[in-house]
Amino acid sequence: MFEFDQYLGFLAIMTVLTIGFWLMIFLLTFVIPYWLGGSIIELIKEKREAKKAKLEE
């Protein structure tokens, strides 16, 4: 069915695809929401500070 070098190539391709799949799952479930949440919090802080500075003037 498969020769040994074809088997190794198949394993290499499956390994790369599997790593890519789990990397995408990790990015979509942890990294991107963390990044968006942090940027939203920073935006709220900046608006609060700008409003506070405007009221002090």
Side-chain angles (χ1 to χ4, degrees):
M1 188 171 145
F2 278 127
E3 291 182 20
F4 187 68
D5 57 345
Q6 291 174 328
Y7 179 67
L8 287 179
F10 175 74
L11 284 180
I13 288 172
M14 290 307 295
T15 301
V16 169
L17 290 176
T18 303
I19 289 171
F21 172 76
W22 288 114
L23 178 64
M24 285 302 297
I25 295 295
F26 173 72
L27 288 174
L28 290 173
T29 57
F30 294 107
V31 175
I32 293 175
Y34 179 78
W35 172 59
L36 288 175
S39 59
I40 290 170
I41 289 171
E42 288 296 319
L43 182 65
I44 292 171
K45 285 181 182 178
E46 287 176 8
K47 285 186 178 182
R48 236 185 241 161
E49 289 175 3
K51 189 175 182 182
K52 192 176 187 181
K54 188 178 180 183
L55 289 176
E56 289 177 356
E57 289 180 0

